[in-house]
PDB file of all heavy atoms in Angstrom:
ATOM      1  N   GLY A   1       1.417 -13.243  12.177  1.00  0.00           N
ATOM      2  CA  GLY A   1       1.483 -12.520  10.930  1.00  0.00           C
ATOM      3  C   GLY A   1       1.968 -11.074  11.133  1.00  0.00           C
ATOM      4  O   GLY A   1       2.067 -10.591  12.292  1.00  0.00           O
ATOM      5  N   TYR A   2       2.181 -10.396   9.980  1.00  0.00           N
ATOM      6  CA  TYR A   2       2.794  -9.055  10.064  1.00  0.00           C
ATOM      7  C   TYR A   2       1.894  -8.063   9.245  1.00  0.00           C
ATOM      8  O   TYR A   2       1.044  -8.430   8.459  1.00  0.00           O
ATOM      9  CB  TYR A   2       4.208  -9.102   9.449  1.00  0.00           C
ATOM     10  CG  TYR A   2       5.065 -10.041  10.167  1.00  0.00           C
ATOM     11  CD1 TYR A   2       5.479 -11.252   9.615  1.00  0.00           C
ATOM     12  CD2 TYR A   2       5.527  -9.741  11.491  1.00  0.00           C
ATOM     13  CE1 TYR A   2       6.335 -12.101  10.278  1.00  0.00           C
ATOM     14  CE2 TYR A   2       6.356 -10.593  12.149  1.00  0.00           C
ATOM     15  CZ  TYR A   2       6.771 -11.795  11.592  1.00  0.00           C
ATOM     16  OH  TYR A   2       7.618 -12.649  12.272  1.00  0.00           O
ATOM     17  N   ARG A   3       2.254  -6.798   9.420  1.00  0.00           N
ATOM     18  CA  ARG A   3       1.568  -5.718   8.709  1.00  0.00           C
ATOM     19  C   ARG A   3       2.621  -4.774   8.218  1.00  0.00           C
ATOM     20  O   ARG A   3       3.644  -4.500   8.725  1.00  0.00           O
ATOM     21  CB  ARG A   3       0.706  -4.915   9.664  1.00  0.00           C
ATOM     22  CG  ARG A   3      -0.480  -5.648  10.242  1.00  0.00           C
ATOM     23  CD  ARG A   3      -1.141  -4.884  11.354  1.00  0.00           C
ATOM     24  NE  ARG A   3      -1.556  -3.547  10.900  1.00  0.00           N
ATOM     25  CZ  ARG A   3      -2.698  -3.179  10.281  1.00  0.00           C
ATOM     26  NH1 ARG A   3      -3.520  -4.155   9.947  1.00  0.00           N
ATOM     27  NH2 ARG A   3      -2.891  -1.949   9.918  1.00  0.00           N
ATOM     28  N   THR A   4       2.265  -4.163   7.012  1.00  0.00           N
ATOM     29  CA  THR A   4       3.119  -3.096   6.456  1.00  0.00           C
ATOM     30  C   THR A   4       2.818  -1.848   7.339  1.00  0.00           C
ATOM     31  O   THR A   4       1.711  -1.667   7.868  1.00  0.00           O
ATOM     32  CB  THR A   4       2.695  -2.811   5.032  1.00  0.00           C
ATOM     33  OG1 THR A   4       2.961  -3.936   4.239  1.00  0.00           O
ATOM     34  CG2 THR A   4       3.424  -1.584   4.461  1.00  0.00           C
ATOM     35  N   THR A   5       3.843  -1.007   7.495  1.00  0.00           N
ATOM     36  CA  THR A   5       3.694   0.215   8.260  1.00  0.00           C
ATOM     37  C   THR A   5       3.184   1.309   7.298  1.00  0.00           C
ATOM     38  O   THR A   5       3.758   1.519   6.237  1.00  0.00           O
ATOM     39  CB  THR A   5       5.017   0.691   8.851  1.00  0.00           C
ATOM     40  OG1 THR A   5       5.480  -0.409   9.722  1.00  0.00           O
ATOM     41  CG2 THR A   5       4.839   1.937   9.665  1.00  0.00           C
ATOM     42  N   ALA A   6       2.118   2.009   7.695  1.00  0.00           N
ATOM     43  CA  ALA A   6       1.536   3.100   6.920  1.00  0.00           C
ATOM     44  C   ALA A   6       2.577   4.237   6.723  1.00  0.00           C
ATOM     45  O   ALA A   6       3.418   4.472   7.628  1.00  0.00           O
ATOM     46  CB  ALA A   6       0.288   3.613   7.537  1.00  0.00           C
ATOM     47  N   ILE A   7       2.508   4.924   5.605  1.00  0.00           N
ATOM     48  CA  ILE A   7       3.388   6.020   5.287  1.00  0.00           C
ATOM     49  C   ILE A   7       2.451   7.245   4.968  1.00  0.00           C
ATOM     50  O   ILE A   7       1.482   7.086   4.182  1.00  0.00           O
ATOM     51  CB  ILE A   7       4.272   5.715   4.094  1.00  0.00           C
ATOM     52  CG1 ILE A   7       5.213   4.615   4.440  1.00  0.00           C
ATOM     53  CG2 ILE A   7       5.080   6.978   3.675  1.00  0.00           C
ATOM     54  CD1 ILE A   7       6.042   4.097   3.270  1.00  0.00           C
ATOM     55  N   PRO A   8       2.737   8.401   5.585  1.00  0.00           N
ATOM     56  CA  PRO A   8       1.870   9.562   5.276  1.00  0.00           C
ATOM     57  C   PRO A   8       1.782   9.832   3.783  1.00  0.00           C
ATOM     58  O   PRO A   8       2.741   9.830   3.042  1.00  0.00           O
ATOM     59  CB  PRO A   8       2.618  10.655   6.024  1.00  0.00           C
ATOM     60  CG  PRO A   8       3.437  10.004   7.129  1.00  0.00           C
ATOM     61  CD  PRO A   8       3.768   8.658   6.552  1.00  0.00           C
ATOM     62  N   GLY A   9       0.523  10.059   3.342  1.00  0.00           N
ATOM     63  CA  GLY A   9       0.300  10.374   1.980  1.00  0.00           C
ATOM     64  C   GLY A   9       0.110   9.197   1.036  1.00  0.00           C
ATOM     65  O   GLY A   9      -0.086   9.350  -0.152  1.00  0.00           O
ATOM     66  N   VAL A  10       0.199   7.979   1.578  1.00  0.00           N
ATOM     67  CA  VAL A  10       0.047   6.771   0.739  1.00  0.00           C
ATOM     68  C   VAL A  10      -1.225   6.015   1.175  1.00  0.00           C
ATOM     69  O   VAL A  10      -1.362   5.648   2.401  1.00  0.00           O
ATOM     70  CB  VAL A  10       1.231   5.841   0.865  1.00  0.00           C
ATOM     71  CG1 VAL A  10       1.044   4.590  -0.040  1.00  0.00           C
ATOM     72  CG2 VAL A  10       2.527   6.542   0.544  1.00  0.00           C
ATOM     73  N   PRO A  11      -2.191   5.728   0.305  1.00  0.00           N
ATOM     74  CA  PRO A  11      -3.419   5.001   0.663  1.00  0.00           C
ATOM     75  C   PRO A  11      -3.074   3.652   1.328  1.00  0.00           C
ATOM     76  O   PRO A  11      -2.230   2.946   0.781  1.00  0.00           O
ATOM     77  CB  PRO A  11      -4.163   4.850  -0.632  1.00  0.00           C
ATOM     78  CG  PRO A  11      -3.642   5.911  -1.494  1.00  0.00           C
ATOM     79  CD  PRO A  11      -2.167   6.080  -1.124  1.00  0.00           C
ATOM     80  N   PHE A  12      -3.751   3.383   2.470  1.00  0.00           N
ATOM     81  CA  PHE A  12      -3.385   2.229   3.221  1.00  0.00           C
ATOM     82  C   PHE A  12      -4.639   1.423   3.561  1.00  0.00           C
ATOM     83  O   PHE A  12      -5.659   1.962   3.945  1.00  0.00           O
ATOM     84  CB  PHE A  12      -2.673   2.645   4.513  1.00  0.00           C
ATOM     85  CG  PHE A  12      -2.071   1.472   5.254  1.00  0.00           C
ATOM     86  CD1 PHE A  12      -0.911   0.818   4.772  1.00  0.00           C
ATOM     87  CD2 PHE A  12      -2.632   1.004   6.386  1.00  0.00           C
ATOM     88  CE1 PHE A  12      -0.318  -0.266   5.428  1.00  0.00           C
ATOM     89  CE2 PHE A  12      -2.047  -0.094   7.072  1.00  0.00           C
ATOM     90  CZ  PHE A  12      -0.893  -0.668   6.647  1.00  0.00           C
ATOM     91  N   ASP A  13      -4.594   0.110   3.380  1.00  0.00           N
ATOM     92  CA  ASP A  13      -5.664  -0.860   3.646  1.00  0.00           C
ATOM     93  C   ASP A  13      -5.494  -1.366   5.099  1.00  0.00           C
ATOM     94  O   ASP A  13      -4.671  -2.272   5.325  1.00  0.00           O
ATOM     95  CB  ASP A  13      -5.764  -1.954   2.679  1.00  0.00           C
ATOM     96  CG  ASP A  13      -6.910  -2.884   2.814  1.00  0.00           C
ATOM     97  OD1 ASP A  13      -7.457  -2.972   3.984  1.00  0.00           O
ATOM     98  OD2 ASP A  13      -7.281  -3.600   1.913  1.00  0.00           O
ATOM     99  N   GLU A  14      -6.134  -0.799   6.072  1.00  0.00           N
ATOM    100  CA  GLU A  14      -5.921  -1.242   7.464  1.00  0.00           C
ATOM    101  C   GLU A  14      -6.308  -2.658   7.691  1.00  0.00           C
ATOM    102  O   GLU A  14      -5.626  -3.352   8.448  1.00  0.00           O
ATOM    103  CB  GLU A  14      -6.809  -0.315   8.399  1.00  0.00           C
ATOM    104  CG  GLU A  14      -6.311   1.118   8.531  1.00  0.00           C
ATOM    105  CD  GLU A  14      -5.055   1.197   9.356  1.00  0.00           C
ATOM    106  OE1 GLU A  14      -4.687   0.233  10.006  1.00  0.00           O
ATOM    107  OE2 GLU A  14      -4.414   2.252   9.381  1.00  0.00           O
ATOM    108  N   ALA A  15      -7.355  -3.146   7.076  1.00  0.00           N
ATOM    109  CA  ALA A  15      -7.769  -4.508   7.308  1.00  0.00           C
ATOM    110  C   ALA A  15      -6.744  -5.482   6.781  1.00  0.00           C
ATOM    111  O   ALA A  15      -6.402  -6.515   7.402  1.00  0.00           O
ATOM    112  CB  ALA A  15      -9.144  -4.730   6.644  1.00  0.00           C
ATOM    113  N   ALA A  16      -6.214  -5.246   5.612  1.00  0.00           N
ATOM    114  CA  ALA A  16      -5.246  -6.132   5.026  1.00  0.00           C
ATOM    115  C   ALA A  16      -3.807  -5.863   5.467  1.00  0.00           C
ATOM    116  O   ALA A  16      -2.931  -6.767   5.286  1.00  0.00           O
ATOM    117  CB  ALA A  16      -5.288  -6.032   3.456  1.00  0.00           C
ATOM    118  N   GLY A  17      -3.551  -4.677   6.079  1.00  0.00           N
ATOM    119  CA  GLY A  17      -2.250  -4.360   6.497  1.00  0.00           C
ATOM    120  C   GLY A  17      -1.237  -4.142   5.387  1.00  0.00           C
ATOM    121  O   GLY A  17      -0.057  -4.490   5.499  1.00  0.00           O
ATOM    122  N   ARG A  18      -1.673  -3.492   4.308  1.00  0.00           N
ATOM    123  CA  ARG A  18      -0.781  -3.268   3.186  1.00  0.00           C
ATOM    124  C   ARG A  18      -1.305  -2.018   2.403  1.00  0.00           C
ATOM    125  O   ARG A  18      -2.410  -1.524   2.710  1.00  0.00           O
ATOM    126  CB  ARG A  18      -0.756  -4.458   2.209  1.00  0.00           C
ATOM    127  CG  ARG A  18      -2.126  -4.856   1.682  1.00  0.00           C
ATOM    128  CD  ARG A  18      -2.073  -5.985   0.639  1.00  0.00           C
ATOM    129  NE  ARG A  18      -3.372  -6.496   0.280  1.00  0.00           N
ATOM    130  CZ  ARG A  18      -4.200  -5.888  -0.544  1.00  0.00           C
ATOM    131  NH1 ARG A  18      -3.875  -4.675  -1.106  1.00  0.00           N
ATOM    132  NH2 ARG A  18      -5.363  -6.427  -0.862  1.00  0.00           N
ATOM    133  N   PHE A  19      -0.501  -1.568   1.427  1.00  0.00           N
ATOM    134  CA  PHE A  19      -0.890  -0.406   0.687  1.00  0.00           C
ATOM    135  C   PHE A  19      -2.036  -0.738  -0.309  1.00  0.00           C
ATOM    136  O   PHE A  19      -2.031  -1.855  -0.875  1.00  0.00           O
ATOM    137  CB  PHE A  19       0.270   0.220  -0.045  1.00  0.00           C
ATOM    138  CG  PHE A  19       1.398   0.676   0.841  1.00  0.00           C
ATOM    139  CD1 PHE A  19       2.653   0.116   0.796  1.00  0.00           C
ATOM    140  CD2 PHE A  19       1.134   1.735   1.759  1.00  0.00           C
ATOM    141  CE1 PHE A  19       3.691   0.562   1.673  1.00  0.00           C
ATOM    142  CE2 PHE A  19       2.134   2.133   2.649  1.00  0.00           C
ATOM    143  CZ  PHE A  19       3.370   1.556   2.601  1.00  0.00           C
ATOM    144  N   VAL A  20      -2.891   0.229  -0.517  1.00  0.00           N
ATOM    145  CA  VAL A  20      -3.969   0.045  -1.484  1.00  0.00           C
ATOM    146  C   VAL A  20      -3.365   0.137  -2.899  1.00  0.00           C
ATOM    147  O   VAL A  20      -2.628   1.084  -3.204  1.00  0.00           O
ATOM    148  CB  VAL A  20      -5.042   1.117  -1.385  1.00  0.00           C
ATOM    149  CG1 VAL A  20      -6.120   1.001  -2.444  1.00  0.00           C
ATOM    150  CG2 VAL A  20      -5.688   1.071   0.026  1.00  0.00           C
ATOM    151  N   ASN A  21      -3.542  -0.869  -3.711  1.00  0.00           N
ATOM    152  CA  ASN A  21      -2.924  -0.926  -5.003  1.00  0.00           C
ATOM    153  C   ASN A  21      -3.657  -1.761  -5.984  1.00  0.00           C
ATOM    154  O   ASN A  21      -4.430  -2.636  -5.531  1.00  0.00           O
ATOM    155  CB  ASN A  21      -1.439  -1.402  -4.934  1.00  0.00           C
ATOM    156  CG  ASN A  21      -1.342  -2.867  -4.603  1.00  0.00           C
ATOM    157  OD1 ASN A  21      -1.192  -3.750  -5.523  1.00  0.00           O
ATOM    158  ND2 ASN A  21      -1.453  -3.233  -3.335  1.00  0.00           N
ATOM    159  N   GLU A  22      -3.464  -1.548  -7.280  1.00  0.00           N
ATOM    160  CA  GLU A  22      -3.982  -2.392  -8.357  1.00  0.00           C
ATOM    161  C   GLU A  22      -2.790  -3.018  -9.040  1.00  0.00           C
ATOM    162  O   GLU A  22      -2.070  -2.364  -9.828  1.00  0.00           O
ATOM    163  CB  GLU A  22      -4.787  -1.599  -9.357  1.00  0.00           C
ATOM    164  CG  GLU A  22      -6.130  -1.128  -8.767  1.00  0.00           C
ATOM    165  CD  GLU A  22      -7.016  -0.489  -9.847  1.00  0.00           C
ATOM    166  OE1 GLU A  22      -6.703  -0.662 -11.040  1.00  0.00           O
ATOM    167  OE2 GLU A  22      -7.947   0.234  -9.490  1.00  0.00           O
ATOM    168  N   ASP A  23      -2.573  -4.258  -8.760  1.00  0.00           N
ATOM    169  CA  ASP A  23      -1.420  -5.003  -9.350  1.00  0.00           C
ATOM    170  C   ASP A  23      -0.113  -4.242  -9.177  1.00  0.00           C
ATOM    171  O   ASP A  23       0.700  -4.160 -10.114  1.00  0.00           O
ATOM    172  CB  ASP A  23      -1.715  -5.337 -10.790  1.00  0.00           C
ATOM    173  CG  ASP A  23      -0.761  -6.365 -11.354  1.00  0.00           C
ATOM    174  OD1 ASP A  23      -0.275  -7.180 -10.568  1.00  0.00           O
ATOM    175  OD2 ASP A  23      -0.468  -6.373 -12.573  1.00  0.00           O
ATOM    176  N   GLY A  24       0.097  -3.647  -8.045  1.00  0.00           N
ATOM    177  CA  GLY A  24       1.277  -2.952  -7.687  1.00  0.00           C
ATOM    178  C   GLY A  24       1.363  -1.457  -7.961  1.00  0.00           C
ATOM    179  O   GLY A  24       2.227  -0.688  -7.571  1.00  0.00           O
ATOM    180  N   ARG A  25       0.318  -0.939  -8.648  1.00  0.00           N
ATOM    181  CA  ARG A  25       0.230   0.512  -8.912  1.00  0.00           C
ATOM    182  C   ARG A  25      -0.659   1.150  -7.844  1.00  0.00           C
ATOM    183  O   ARG A  25      -1.841   0.844  -7.794  1.00  0.00           O
ATOM    184  CB  ARG A  25      -0.342   0.760 -10.271  1.00  0.00           C
ATOM    185  CG  ARG A  25      -0.212   2.182 -10.776  1.00  0.00           C
ATOM    186  CD  ARG A  25      -0.683   2.273 -12.221  1.00  0.00           C
ATOM    187  NE  ARG A  25      -0.237   3.564 -12.845  1.00  0.00           N
ATOM    188  CZ  ARG A  25      -1.080   4.643 -12.860  1.00  0.00           C
ATOM    189  NH1 ARG A  25      -2.222   4.586 -12.253  1.00  0.00           N
ATOM    190  NH2 ARG A  25      -0.671   5.741 -13.404  1.00  0.00           N
ATOM    191  N   ILE A  26      -0.091   2.092  -7.138  1.00  0.00           N
ATOM    192  CA  ILE A  26      -0.856   2.860  -6.156  1.00  0.00           C
ATOM    193  C   ILE A  26      -1.459   4.133  -6.725  1.00  0.00           C
ATOM    194  O   ILE A  26      -2.594   4.513  -6.511  1.00  0.00           O
ATOM    195  CB  ILE A  26       0.060   3.294  -4.967  1.00  0.00           C
ATOM    196  CG1 ILE A  26       0.643   2.011  -4.268  1.00  0.00           C
ATOM    197  CG2 ILE A  26      -0.669   4.123  -3.949  1.00  0.00           C
ATOM    198  CD1 ILE A  26       1.688   2.308  -3.248  1.00  0.00           C
ATOM    199  N   GLY A  27      -0.678   4.779  -7.594  1.00  0.00           N
ATOM    200  CA  GLY A  27      -1.102   6.071  -8.181  1.00  0.00           C
ATOM    201  C   GLY A  27      -0.066   6.438  -9.233  1.00  0.00           C
ATOM    202  O   GLY A  27       0.957   5.780  -9.386  1.00  0.00           O
ATOM    203  N   PRO A  28      -0.218   7.598  -9.923  1.00  0.00           N
ATOM    204  CA  PRO A  28       0.741   8.047 -10.892  1.00  0.00           C
ATOM    205  C   PRO A  28       2.160   8.163 -10.322  1.00  0.00           C
ATOM    206  O   PRO A  28       2.409   8.883  -9.299  1.00  0.00           O
ATOM    207  CB  PRO A  28       0.274   9.430 -11.259  1.00  0.00           C
ATOM    208  CG  PRO A  28      -1.203   9.386 -11.044  1.00  0.00           C
ATOM    209  CD  PRO A  28      -1.382   8.493  -9.778  1.00  0.00           C
ATOM    210  N   GLY A  29       3.047   7.353 -10.817  1.00  0.00           N
ATOM    211  CA  GLY A  29       4.442   7.353 -10.405  1.00  0.00           C
ATOM    212  C   GLY A  29       4.691   6.713  -9.093  1.00  0.00           C
ATOM    213  O   GLY A  29       5.880   6.755  -8.600  1.00  0.00           O
ATOM    214  N   LEU A  30       3.747   6.053  -8.476  1.00  0.00           N
ATOM    215  CA  LEU A  30       3.883   5.476  -7.140  1.00  0.00           C
ATOM    216  C   LEU A  30       3.388   3.966  -7.201  1.00  0.00           C
ATOM    217  O   LEU A  30       2.245   3.713  -7.632  1.00  0.00           O
ATOM    218  CB  LEU A  30       3.120   6.211  -6.113  1.00  0.00           C
ATOM    219  CG  LEU A  30       3.237   5.769  -4.683  1.00  0.00           C
ATOM    220  CD1 LEU A  30       4.685   5.877  -4.229  1.00  0.00           C
ATOM    221  CD2 LEU A  30       2.315   6.550  -3.760  1.00  0.00           C
ATOM    222  N   TYR A  31       4.283   3.029  -6.780  1.00  0.00           N
ATOM    223  CA  TYR A  31       4.039   1.649  -6.925  1.00  0.00           C
ATOM    224  C   TYR A  31       4.428   0.888  -5.571  1.00  0.00           C
ATOM    225  O   TYR A  31       5.030   1.542  -4.720  1.00  0.00           O
ATOM    226  CB  TYR A  31       4.852   1.097  -8.037  1.00  0.00           C
ATOM    227  CG  TYR A  31       4.664   1.761  -9.331  1.00  0.00           C
ATOM    228  CD1 TYR A  31       5.334   2.908  -9.669  1.00  0.00           C
ATOM    229  CD2 TYR A  31       3.751   1.257 -10.260  1.00  0.00           C
ATOM    230  CE1 TYR A  31       5.129   3.585 -10.863  1.00  0.00           C
ATOM    231  CE2 TYR A  31       3.559   1.901 -11.535  1.00  0.00           C
ATOM    232  CZ  TYR A  31       4.261   3.047 -11.805  1.00  0.00           C
ATOM    233  OH  TYR A  31       4.052   3.742 -12.953  1.00  0.00           O
ATOM    234  N   CYS A  32       4.069  -0.292  -5.464  1.00  0.00           N
ATOM    235  CA  CYS A  32       4.526  -1.089  -4.318  1.00  0.00           C
ATOM    236  C   CYS A  32       4.747  -2.570  -4.784  1.00  0.00           C
ATOM    237  O   CYS A  32       4.257  -2.965  -5.832  1.00  0.00           O
ATOM    238  CB  CYS A  32       3.483  -1.079  -3.186  1.00  0.00           C
ATOM    239  SG  CYS A  32       1.835  -1.651  -3.658  1.00  0.00           S
ATOM    240  N   VAL A  33       5.556  -3.251  -4.051  1.00  0.00           N
ATOM    241  CA  VAL A  33       5.998  -4.588  -4.420  1.00  0.00           C
ATOM    242  C   VAL A  33       6.229  -5.401  -3.198  1.00  0.00           C
ATOM    243  O   VAL A  33       6.429  -4.920  -2.102  1.00  0.00           O
ATOM    244  CB  VAL A  33       7.316  -4.495  -5.230  1.00  0.00           C
ATOM    245  CG1 VAL A  33       8.478  -4.021  -4.393  1.00  0.00           C
ATOM    246  CG2 VAL A  33       7.609  -5.731  -6.023  1.00  0.00           C
TER     247      VAL A  33
END
């Protein structure tokens, strides 16, 4: 398996290996897919 690479300033879920998000929304104006 693989992990997303953390980016400075973006909340990251170390256990899941992906960005912290709610249905793709990380924060105001910031999303992931």
